[in-house]
Amino acid sequence: DIYHRVLNEDTFSDSDRSALNEAISGAFEDLDGIVKSFNTGGRRQSFHLDHFQKLIKDMNGGDGLWFTLNHDVFIERWYEGRVILPGVPNCRIAAESDPLQFSMPTPDEVENAKLSMSNELKYIKLHGSQNWYGPRGYIIGREKRSQIKEEPLLEWYMDIFTAAVKRADAQMLCIGYGFRDEHINEVLMAGINGGMRLHVINPQEPGIFSNNLREQFCEGIFDGLASYHQCTLRDLFPFHTQLTDGSKS
């Protein structure tokens, strides 16, 4: 893709690479502007955040793992529960403030973070974050596997992900993932083969979803699903519904 070519091919200059990085930074800023306004102007009514937060709590019991490939800081801004990003201190971001810049930790700092893992719900950004700065603060484009290996924090995150899905009693709910990352699909397939139960929420018809997986050479994932739910978060958590203590639907 164009990102990979500009960064790695000699036909592109340093000024080309600088322009590309500025464009990406601008796109992240625009995205964060939308995230900031989620609770104003009716945007929050796109789905019921309170219900979504209850789903996370019910599934994890307070000490699970929440993985994402997204780079935005929506959760850091709006999730009302305690958010723990291993190795990333002070990750909470006030609704109207700009994201705090976080410099990627050294290998020694990552090793120290491993020793202080808590039993609380942990939010794992497998591809980094828009406000993380370093050689590989965020991962986009091709060859993600090799990019991850260059960043100790992200390599640790990938180890956490791999270990989690290989647990025989593991259950994973997948929302919004397009199954286009080979390194993620390989881990999911290994987890399914080891007994993990994978549940998917996706708006596509099952046949279309299955064909898309086949095009990514990972049709075995569809065959191994524990359940497939053709819907969106808006369908599951419409804004007008009321949250009750006894509701898990």
Side-chain angles (χ1 to χ4, degrees):
D1 56 33
I2 188 64
Y3 177 81
H4 179 81
R5 289 178 56 206
V6 171
L7 289 189
N8 294 282
E9 293 182 5
D10 293 336
T11 53
F12 294 94
S13 66
D14 288 342
S15 61
D16 293 329
R17 297 182 181 90
S18 178
L20 178 61
N21 287 326
E22 288 180 8
I24 293 171
S25 295
F28 280 145
E29 289 178 6
D30 291 343
L31 174 61
D32 197 47
I34 297 173
V35 169
K36 281 182 181 180
S37 63
F38 174 72
N39 206 29
T40 61
R43 288 186 184 275
R44 184 177 175 136
Q45 296 189 20
S46 59
F47 75 96
H48 205 308
L49 182 60
D50 293 337
H51 281 298
F52 177 66
Q53 292 179 154
K54 189 173 189 303
L55 172 68
I56 298 298
K57 180 180 178 181
D58 288 342
M59 287 201 62
N60 288 282
D63 62 352
L65 295 164
W66 181 358
F67 298 100
T68 184
L69 302 181
N70 294 341
H71 304 104
D72 63 77
V73 292
F74 179 91
I75 299 303
E76 292 92 319
R77 287 193 185 281
W78 294 113
Y79 186 71
E80 294 177 359
R82 182 168 165 79
V83 178
I84 302 294
L85 274 73
V88 183
N90 304 318
C91 63
R92 176 69 73 184
I93 301 172
E96 300 302 324
S97 66
D98 292 330
L100 295 174
Q101 295 185 5
F102 169 69
S103 296
M104 300 300 284
T106 65
D108 287 343
E109 289 171 335
V110 171
E111 290 303 313
N112 289 334
K114 292 179 182 180
L115 299 175
S116 60
M117 284 274 281
S118 70
N119 291 326
E120 300 173 273
L121 173 63
K122 289 166 282 293
Y123 184 52
I124 311 291
K125 305 185 84 166
L126 292 170
H127 287 172
S129 183
Q130 69 177 74
N131 62 320
W132 295 1
Y133 292 87
R136 298 294 180 188
Y138 53 81
I139 304 298
I140 60 178
R142 299 196 323 233
E143 299 185 5
K144 292 186 176 75
R145 198 194 312 264
S146 62
Q147 294 183 60
I148 288 171
K149 287 184 178 297
E150 296 176 11
E151 186 52 65
L153 180 65
L154 298 184
E155 189 172 26
W156 176 36
Y157 281 5
M158 196 67 193
D159 290 343
I160 294 173
F161 177 58
T162 301
V165 301
K166 286 185 176 180
R167 287 173 41 190
D169 62 344
Q171 294 209 54
M172 177 173 289
L173 174 63
C174 184
I175 305 173
Y177 174 47
F179 293 86
R180 295 184 180 276
D181 286 315
E182 182 180 353
H183 63 296
I184 299 295
N185 295 342
E186 288 178 358
V187 174
L188 291 177
M189 195 68 248
I192 290 172
N193 290 336
M196 178 188 72
R197 293 175 57 80
L198 179 62
H199 310 270
V200 171
I201 293 176
N202 192 291
Q204 294 178 324
E205 294 181 0
I208 295 175
F209 179 76
S210 177
N211 288 336
N212 289 341
L213 289 183
R214 188 172 295 109
E215 291 176 0
Q216 303 301 321
F217 304 102
C218 55
E219 60 269 21
I221 289 179
F222 185 82
D223 296 334
L225 290 182
S227 66
Y228 182 84
H229 307 274
Q230 184 186 343
C231 59
T232 66
L233 282 179
R234 185 180 300 176
D235 297 328
L236 287 176
F237 312 119
F239 184 78
H240 62 273
T241 58
Q242 295 296 315
L243 181 66
T244 61
D245 291 339
S247 173
K248 291 190 178 182
S249 61

